[in-house]
């Protein structure tokens, strides 16, 4: 045996010996308190979502969390981020959960883990995988979600079996940071399927061990339905500043736990709130948050633990935002998940773009005064650079480049997106109509309103727009023949935008399938049969053929007509991709971090669509709706020199001689829905009364 091998063996033996001498690590509940290694601990935590933050910035955000004075983070695990299809898993890049948890551990942060399987989080489908809605998987589209339905539990068993095997070495007793593991999420809103909850508890204990501390959480008024009685599991509660009664709320919690096993714990103490498209940006009171944080930390003789929801929100990159549904009112969340949290979407302090007193500094002071511990030094503010205006000098019509984006599926009747193995994005339904069937009074009936927004085109011309909850019919009218149309037929295109599955709610079935919702689409009462369906997830735009924008429309038309790849009917009237190049200067490069400075992409002057930078999907923009008018661009997505910008415009399809976007150094939440928010210092002092399905009111 060589000297190196002997040295390694010696080190291993020494480590083993030291480990055997080290006191056993433990985390437990007794005397209505949390105990870590035999000593009481007051958990002061905050929620942060690894899947909403660029992985190159995880360490930065955790440093800011630590400097706030927290001793733990609370982490959702999004099932749909990791199990992309049954038995197929993603654990790299932004899905590298183990790396994120290890980074937290390295910084001395404990972890409250929330592995679902349902998480809400204003995330698409509440974290459930889209493929549960496909009939091509066992039980798909028929199983009862979040229940003891064996078909649903079979998928949960497989998922948790993989997840818990991976994280078991990170449990606290094994030397890792995980001290608490949540079962389900606010299940009290769903009813009372105790068999389901007991199955989840048994599954967690099977994989994590009998000593793992498991818990449920619910608002107090539904907590009894969302948990198991006594010592079967620890019950926590959640509520926000300005709308809670700690004496009554923690009394409910205590009544649901076994004697001595109820340390007061608010697992979601709301630092801000969510925002839908068409609303003013959430802007909650910093002073109320700080004052009520102090109340909680002092409650029950300084034994109350809490977790801020959120401490850092992040971004709904791609097509990952969820939605709320209130009757027929569909409410998709904006792309930013800033949440008006102490640490902003870009990792900044003091709610930039929103206003109010600085939450980060106020909470940091309250925690330091309460604990008597001086927090780590405050990290510097992130570098955010205004790179300036970028001309989008090339374009491509969506209808022209369909062959580069999708393989069409031929079908007799249309179906939902999930049936075409599509997770998200857009989906185009195409049908060829004999022209003799069309007249000025022709009526199209979709059979059900689309999920979620649809534009109907006849021979490339917009006939009308429909949305979720709208009437299902529209006057299609007669078509004007375009230069590439057949004399005897007209082309019907229905482009449906999926803007996020519902993330909250437990109505029967719980499904939120996307695309057309009825297989019976009629024209003047007659069924339309034989369709081509184009699933458009828009993952790869590298094959798109762009052509220059020029002030001479005649030149553009000649270029269009001369290219065999770009011939279509009236394509200028349909959705359009625009492309440009950002020349990022070298001085914007940060040698210390090895990254370019962050920025914000401003889409003022545009309507609605999607943006990409260097092939990365930044998410939806909807400047005509607001409040969000800028999209956060993390510096790691950029590089010195040329950076490719692509913008898809869905609604304002008029011919543009000049197209441009700007990269600015401040977020803009002052779109049409802001209602005078800019500079007004709007502040919600705290929502009175109660926690509803969709938030504080």
């Amino acid at each position: 045996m060589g000297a190196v091998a002997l040295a390694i063996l010696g080190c291993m033996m020494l480590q083993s010996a030291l480990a055997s001498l080290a006191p056993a690590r433990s985390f437990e509940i007794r005397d209505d308190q949390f105990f870590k290694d035999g000593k009481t601990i007051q958990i002061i935590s905050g929620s942060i979502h690894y899947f909403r933050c660029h992985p190159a910035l995880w360490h930065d955000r955790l440093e800011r969390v630590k400097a706030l004075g927290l001793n733990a983070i609370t982490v959702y695990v999004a099932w749909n981020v990791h199990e992309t299809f049954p038995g197929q898993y993603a654990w790299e890049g932004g899905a590298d959960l183990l790396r994120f948890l290890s980074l937290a551990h390295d910084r001395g942060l404990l972890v409250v883990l929330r592995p679902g399987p349902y998480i809400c989080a204003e995330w698409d489908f509440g974290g459930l995988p889209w493929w549960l809605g496909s009939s091509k998987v066992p039980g798909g589209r028929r199983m009862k979600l979040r229940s003891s339905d064996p078909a649903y539990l079979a998928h949960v068993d497989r998922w948790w079996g993989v997840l818990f095997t991976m994280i078991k070495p990170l449990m606290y007793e094994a030397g890792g940071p995980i001290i608490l593991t949540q079962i389900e999420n606010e299940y009290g809103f769903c009813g009372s399927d105790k068999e389901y909850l007991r199955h989840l508890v048994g599954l967690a204990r099977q994989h994590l061990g009998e000593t793992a501390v498991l818990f449920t959480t619910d608002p107090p008024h539904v907590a009894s339905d969302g948990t198991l009685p006594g010592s079967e599991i620890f019950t926590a509660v959640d509520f926000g500043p300005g709308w809670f009664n700690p004496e009554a709320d923690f009394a409910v919690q205590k009544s649901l736990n076994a004697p001595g096993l109820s340390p007061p714990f608010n697992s979601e103490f709301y630092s801000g709130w969510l925002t839908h498209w068409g609303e003013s940006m959430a802007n909650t009171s910093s002073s109320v948050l700080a004052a009520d944080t102090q109340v909680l930390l002092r409650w029950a003789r300084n034994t109350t633990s809490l977790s801020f929801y959120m401490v850092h929100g992040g971004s709904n990159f791609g097509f990952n935002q969820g939605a709320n549904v209130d009757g027929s009112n569909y409410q998709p969340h904006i792309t930013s998940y800033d949440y008006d949290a102490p640490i902003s979407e870009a990792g900044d302090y003091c709610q930039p773009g929103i206003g109010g007193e600085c939450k980060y500094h106020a909470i940091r002071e309250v925690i330091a005064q309460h604990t008597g511990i001086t927090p780590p030094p405050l990290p510097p503010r992130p570098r955010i650079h205004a790179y300036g205006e970028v001309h989008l000098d090339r374009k491509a019509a969506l209808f022209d480049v369909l062959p580069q984006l999708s393989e069409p599926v031929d079908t007799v009747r249309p179906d939902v997106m999930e049936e075409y193995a599509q997770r998200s994005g857009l989906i185009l339904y195409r049908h060829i109509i004999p022209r003799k069937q069309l007249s000025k009074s022709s009526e199209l009936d979709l059979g059900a309103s689309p999920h979620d927004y649809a534009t109907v085109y006849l021979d490339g011309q917009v006939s009308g727009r429909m949305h979720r909850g709208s009437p299902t019919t529209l006057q299609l009218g007669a078509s004007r023949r375009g230069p590439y149309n057949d004399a005897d037929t007209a082309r019907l295109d229905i482009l449906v935008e999926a803007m996020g599955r519902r993330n909250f709610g437990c109505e029967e079935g719980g499904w939120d399938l996307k695309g057309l919702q009825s297989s019976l689409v009629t024209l003047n009462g007659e069924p339309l049969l034989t369709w081509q369906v184009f699933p458009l997830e828009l993952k790869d735009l590298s094959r798109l053929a762009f052509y220059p924008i020029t002030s001479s429309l005649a030149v553009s038309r000649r270029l269009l007509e001369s290219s065999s790849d770009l011939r279509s009917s009236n394509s200028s009237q349909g959705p359009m991709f625009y492309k440009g190049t950002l020349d990022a200067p070298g001085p914007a490069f940060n040698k210390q971090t090895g990254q370019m400075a962050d920025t914000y992409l401003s889409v003022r002057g545009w309507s609605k669509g999607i943006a990409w930078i260097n092939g990365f999907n930044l998410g939806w923009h909807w400047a005509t709706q607001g409040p969000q008018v800028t999209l956060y661009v993390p510096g790691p997505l950029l590089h010195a020199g040329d950076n490719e910008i692509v913008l898809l415009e869905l609604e304002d399809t008029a011919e543009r001689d000049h197209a441009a976007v700007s990269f600015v150094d401040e977020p803009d939440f002052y779109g049409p829905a802001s209602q005078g928010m800019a500079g007004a210092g709007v502040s919600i002092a705290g929502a009175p009364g109660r926690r509803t399905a969709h938030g504080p009111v």
Side-chain angles (χ1 to χ4, degrees), residues 26-235:
S26 65
F27 187 86
E28 59 184 334
I29 298 174
R30 53 185 166 87
D31 301 330
D32 288 333
Q33 297 182 78
F34 292 117
F35 284 80
K36 183 172 76 74
D37 300 333
K39 298 180 180 179
T40 59
I41 179 174
Q42 186 175 31
I43 301 168
I44 307 176
S45 185
S47 283
I48 177 172
H49 299 159
Y50 61 96
F51 44 82
R52 281 187 163 118
C53 178
H54 192 285
L57 297 174
W58 286 346
H59 69 286
D60 174 87
R61 302 303 189 259
L62 292 170
E63 292 287 356
R64 297 173 193 278
V65 169
K66 185 71 175 178
L68 187 59
L70 305 189
N71 58 17
I73 58 171
T74 301
V75 182
Y76 274 134
V77 180
W79 183 1
N80 57 14
V81 167
H82 299 287
E83 192 169 13
T84 56
F85 204 71
Q88 299 177 18
Y89 299 95
W91 300 106
E92 298 178 349
D96 194 346
L97 172 63
L98 297 187
R99 174 175 172 264
F100 180 78
L101 296 178
S102 296
L103 287 172
H105 190 32
D106 292 344
R107 284 152 181 79
L109 291 165
L110 300 169
V111 171
V112 178
L113 196 70
R114 310 177 77 183
Y118 160 83
I119 63 171
C120 184
E122 290 74 62
W123 191 251
D124 184 63
F125 210 9
L128 297 177
W130 65 269
W131 43 258
L132 291 173
S134 170
S135 65
K136 296 177 175 62
V137 303
R141 207 169 172 176
R142 302 185 309 277
M143 70 185 81
K144 185 176 181 181
L145 302 174
R146 303 179 67 190
S147 79
S148 54
D149 184 334
Y152 174 66
L153 290 181
H155 293 292
V156 173
D157 290 353
R158 180 188 60 253
W159 158 236
W160 269 13
V162 172
L163 174 64
F164 287 163
T165 298
M166 292 183 64
I167 68 168
K168 186 173 183 180
L170 293 177
M171 300 299 289
Y172 186 78
E173 291 185 351
I178 302 173
I179 54 173
L180 290 164
T181 305
Q182 183 177 310
I183 300 299
E184 248 282 345
N185 189 64
E186 295 190 329
Y187 190 66
F189 285 111
C190 292
S192 186
D193 187 343
K194 303 301 185 184
E195 181 183 349
Y196 170 52
L197 294 177
R198 286 193 173 94
H199 181 92
L200 296 182
V201 169
L203 188 61
R205 296 208 183 283
Q206 173 190 337
H207 291 287
L208 301 179
E210 291 296 323
T211 58
V213 181
L214 311 179
F215 75 102
T216 62
T217 191
D218 286 280
H221 69 285
V222 295
S224 61
D225 283 336
T227 192
L228 298 171
S231 59
E232 288 190 68
I233 194 169
F234 169 55
T235 301

Side-chain angles (χ1 to χ4, degrees), residues 395-402 405 426 428 430 455-465 480 491 493-495 497 536 547 560 568-578 606-609 647-656:
K395 66 180 181 179
L398 174 66
F399 293 152
D400 294 341
V401 295
L402 282 176
L405 292 171
L426 313 176
L428 178 69
R430 174 168 288 175
T455 304
V456 178
Y457 300 86
L458 188 62
D459 286 332
Q461 306 288 325
V462 175
S463 292
R465 303 187 193 276
R480 292 186 296 106
R491 192 184 73 195
D493 286 316
I494 306 171
L495 183 64
E497 309 156 20
L536 299 168
Y547 62 94
L560 175 64
S568 179
S569 61
N570 298 317
S571 59
S572 63
Q573 297 299 313
M576 192 73 66
F577 290 97
Y578 292 87
W606 296 84
S607 180
K608 180 185 184 182
L647 199 73
L648 174 60
E649 174 59 54
L650 290 170
E651 292 187 350
D652 184 1
T653 59
E655 196 77 47
R656 292 174 183 255

